[in-house]
Amino acid sequence: MSTYAQDIQAAAKLCEAHGSSWDAINPESVARMRAQNKFKTGLDIARYTADIMRKDMEAYDKDTSKYTQSLGCWHGFIGQQKMISIKKHFEGNTDRRYLYLSGWMVAALRSEFGPLPDQSMHEKTAVAHLIEELYTFLRQADARELGGLFRELDAAREAGDSKAEKAIQDKIDNHVTHVVPIIADIDAGFGNAEATYLMAKQMIEAGACCIQIENQVSDEKQCGHQDGKVTVPHEDFLAKIRAVRYAFLELGVDNGVIVARTDSLGAGLTKQIAVTKVPGDLGDQYNAFLDCEEVAPADLANGDVIINRDGKLLRPKRLPSNLFQFRKGTGEARCILDSITSLQNGADLIWIETEKPHVRQIGAMMDEIRKQVPDAKLVYNNSPSFNWTLNFRQQVFDTWKEEGKDVSAYDRDNLMSAEYDDTELSAAADDKIRTFQADAAREAGIFHHLITLPTYHTAALSTDNLAKEYFGDKGMLGYVEGVQRKEIRQGIACVKHQNMAGSDMGDDHKEYFAGEAALKAAGKDNTMNQFG
């Protein structure tokens, strides 16, 4: 990677080659603009971030404390502010911290139809557009941060402070980008395998290095935490995994990452009986989970669907919806088979959507999966659909009861109550929540922890607090006390919202283009100067 000084020299040679007609082009300004636009295309981003994910996966295999994390972001600004915050609080380091793009939030917040349930009814292109938007905002964060360093550099030169000038040049040369991997949700592929391939291409071209796909029927898709989910036979799902892989390879993102999500734990239905040719093949294993009754030829009714297994005639239970039902209690076994099959056929990571965050439950399934695929790794949804407080208080209650500890002071069904907030049980539960990610990474093979919808909830909560105060008795103090004063004291970058929106970068460009004639916005009458 070239240094800032080398970039200036390269730009100077280019200008010289064009003679006097380029005399007004400042080589250093060229070098600055190039540094501020490191990534030229979405494919540049996808290749760069895919390499990051692969290195992180290798690091996790060696040391499970090196797990990765992300938060779901539904707007470019939200993703940008998250990464600015991470750099601020973690010494400029973005290692192992990603973005997550939730199909749920696209449906609820980004569809032209308005808010929609998580059923793949939103426009297909909305997902790719959000990926592009997120990376536009992250690249702008790079440009803004570097622009500030260039101003510091100019000030050091003007002051004749060579030591400060060198230190700032080092910061420019070693600048850490805000661009990080995005795990992007393609739902169930938005159609058949060809539709999945086309959609995946759009997402990759927008910058996605990692695509998550689930094994539900595309036109019956439901949120993983809702009822009514319908899965597809393995071969149908594998065709879509291959479609995504082909999309990565066609576009030259050879290190692209595929996350195969199974919703089988909470899905009791299938639309199809799998094709099977010999006993024990993949289709036969899928069908073995069906809820069937043995029948004799004389018992057959008009339109019955019959399976021949081991010389017996079996009639699968078919519902009025024309869907077939799985046997109760088979969810974990189906998840395990789904995961093994996906990893053996092109997926890199798996995602098991569970009904509660329980390390032992997840770990038990991973133990079975790793008997077949030793380096299997999970992406796990630390879902806001879980009642974390109640779940973990009940887990502690159950553990204490098993150990013979007196739990008579607690009502297990009412443990969410605030009356328990200051109890020993509550403190123990909160500690288990605090260490859940590290514990699950170590004991349950979770490489990546994400929260799907956190910024949906934080936006709602902060807006509720502001509306209550501003439209209530506090009036303007509600905003000043609850927002602006905290922004200033916590060093939130967007307190200078004009700067965040690119005003200073615009001034730089005006000066590059028009020199002394530039009409700049950052003069003495700019009210942003009140913030220092």
Side-chain angles (χ1 to χ4, degrees):
M1 186 174 64
S2 59
T3 66
Y4 179 59
Q6 289 170 334
D7 290 340
I8 294 172
Q9 291 174 358
K13 289 181 180 178
L14 182 64
C15 290
E16 289 170 8
H18 286 80
S20 60
S21 66
W22 279 29
D23 281 352
I25 301 297
N26 183 330
E28 186 160 9
S29 298
V30 174
R32 290 181 177 188
M33 293 177 78
R34 285 180 170 177
Q36 289 173 302
N37 190 25
K38 176 180 177 181
F39 300 99
K40 305 300 186 288
T41 69
L43 289 176
D44 290 341
I45 292 171
R47 294 185 188 104
Y48 168 77
T49 53
D51 288 343
I52 290 174
M53 275 199 76
R54 292 289 178 177
K55 288 176 183 175
D56 287 346
M57 289 160 68
E58 290 176 11
Y60 173 81
D61 285 338
K62 297 172 184 174
D63 179 357
T64 57
S65 70
K66 305 292 186 185
Y67 61 89
T68 58
Q69 299 169 285
S70 65
L71 296 174
C73 299
W74 54 272
H75 191 280
F77 177 74
I78 299 295
Q80 178 199 63
Q81 293 304 302
K82 173 191 152 183
M83 295 315 302
I84 288 174
S85 176
I86 284 171
K87 288 193 68 175
K88 180 181 76 172
H89 291 296
F90 299 97
E91 300 178 346
N93 187 343
T94 64
D95 288 354
R96 304 194 307 279
R97 299 176 179 101
Y98 305 168
L99 296 183
Y100 179 68
L101 187 156
S102 160
W104 192 102
M105 285 206 283
V106 172
L109 297 168
R110 302 301 301 251
S111 171
E112 292 183 11
F113 295 109
L116 294 172
D118 185 17
Q119 296 172 356
S120 291
M121 295 188 291
H122 54 278
E123 304 83 359
K124 294 182 181 182
T125 54
V127 180
H129 289 165
L130 178 53
I131 295 168
E132 184 176 18
E133 178 184 293
L134 283 160
Y135 279 127
T136 296
F137 273 78
L138 294 183
R139 291 159 70 190
Q140 192 261 11
D142 280 357
R144 171 188 165 276
E145 190 169 66
L146 283 165
L149 289 172
F150 295 145
R151 286 187 185 79
E152 290 179 28
L153 183 64
D154 291 340
R157 286 173 177 171
E158 190 174 339
D161 189 341
S162 59
K163 184 178 179 180
E165 181 181 350
K166 183 180 184 306
I168 296 163
Q169 283 188 339
D170 286 343
K171 287 183 180 180
I172 293 168
D173 290 340
N174 297 291
H175 178 258
V176 176
T177 179
H178 295 81
V179 170
V180 295
I182 288 177
I183 296 176
D185 187 358
I186 199 172
D187 282 5
F190 291 90
N192 61 15
E194 175 69 7
T196 302
Y197 153 77
L198 294 171
M199 178 76 175
K201 277 184 64 175
Q202 255 200 349
M203 292 167 66
I204 297 161
E205 287 169 337
C209 73
C210 179
I211 293 177
Q212 164 212 324
I213 187 166
E214 64 205 38
N215 67 337
Q216 292 189 45
V217 176
S218 187
D219 59 356
E220 301 283 358
K221 184 260 186 310
Q222 292 276 17
C223 173
H225 289 281
Q226 291 188 309
D227 205 353
K229 294 181 290 295
V230 185
T231 61
V232 297
H234 293 93
E235 290 298 344
D236 295 41
F237 189 49
L238 298 181
K240 291 188 176 183
I241 290 175
R242 287 191 287 271
V244 175
R245 180 63 65 204
Y246 274 111
F248 274 125
L249 294 173
E250 178 184 339
L251 294 171
V253 185
D254 298 348
N255 259 354
V257 179
I258 299 173
V259 178
R261 174 177 132 182
T262 172
D263 286 308
S264 292
L265 195 60
L269 304 169
T270 184
K271 200 169 190 176
Q272 298 159 278
I273 295 174
V275 173
T276 173
K277 296 179 180 177
V278 296
D281 65 13
L282 199 53
D284 192 44
Q285 291 179 68
Y286 186 81
N287 293 340
F289 293 117
L290 291 170
D291 189 359
C292 300
E293 60 178 342
E294 186 176 353
V295 294
D299 298 327
L300 298 181
N302 186 53
D304 273 353
V305 174
I306 300 298
I307 294 175
N308 176 11
R309 183 183 301 132
D310 298 328
K312 297 177 181 178
L313 296 182
L314 302 176
R315 178 167 54 199
K317 184 170 183 180
R318 185 162 59 173
L319 305 181
S321 59
N322 204 30
L323 298 171
F324 296 94
Q325 185 170 294
F326 290 114
R327 285 182 286 111
K328 291 187 182 302
T330 62
E332 288 197 5
R334 286 183 281 123
C335 277
I336 291 165
L337 180 60
D338 295 342
S339 299
I340 292 169
T341 303
S342 298
L343 290 169
Q344 290 177 336
N345 289 272
D348 302 290
L349 299 165
I350 51 176
W351 168 322
I352 298 175
E353 197 73 278
T354 65
E355 80 283 1
K356 60 183 180 293
H358 198 295
V359 173
R360 280 186 292 176
Q361 179 199 30
I362 303 161
M365 287 189 280
M366 281 301 289
D367 287 344
E368 292 302 311
I369 293 164
R370 284 181 160 176
K371 289 177 182 177
Q372 300 292 322
V373 186
D375 64 347
K377 290 179 281 295
L378 266 176
V379 173
Y380 188 71
N381 179 7
N382 300 168
S383 177
S385 293
F386 302 144
N387 185 331
W388 285 78
T389 301
L390 181 60
N391 266 295
F392 276 83
R393 288 181 181 181
Q394 288 181 339
Q395 286 180 39
V396 171
F397 179 97
D398 294 342
T399 300
W400 284 3
K401 189 173 181 180
E402 289 172 13
E403 294 171 350
K405 190 168 182 175
D406 182 11
V407 292
S408 60
Y410 304 99
D411 176 359
R412 188 182 188 280
D413 294 333
N414 194 38
L415 287 174
M416 184 65 199
S417 174
E419 70 181 279
Y420 296 119
D421 285 356
D422 296 324
T423 63
E424 182 187 1
L425 184 144
S426 172
D430 282 355
D431 196 53
K432 284 175 69 69
I433 294 171
R434 181 182 61 80
T435 64
F436 174 79
Q437 292 182 326
D439 293 343
R442 182 182 63 254
E443 299 171 23
I446 297 178
F447 159 73
H448 186 79
H449 284 276
L450 62 92
I451 309 179
T452 42
L453 320 176
T455 53
Y456 177 90
H457 292 279
T458 54
L461 179 62
S462 61
T463 302
D464 179 80
N465 290 333
L466 175 60
K468 176 181 68 175
E469 302 294 348
Y470 178 73
F471 293 104
D473 293 339
K474 284 196 173 182
M476 192 57 197
L477 181 60
Y479 172 76
V480 172
E481 185 179 61
V483 181
Q484 190 183 75
R485 193 174 294 163
K486 291 181 179 179
E487 284 183 304
I488 294 169
R489 291 174 177 172
Q490 291 178 217
I492 304 298
C494 68
V495 71
K496 296 184 179 182
H497 48 260
Q498 306 285 17
N499 167 271
M500 185 58 62
S503 177
D504 289 337
M505 284 188 289
D507 277 359
D508 291 340
H509 293 166
K510 289 174 185 177
E511 190 169 5
Y512 298 164
F513 306 155
E516 293 181 356
L519 182 63
K520 296 193 286 186
K524 64 180 178 62
D525 292 328
N526 188 321
T527 57
M528 289 286 101
N529 294 334
Q530 296 174 42
F531 298 106

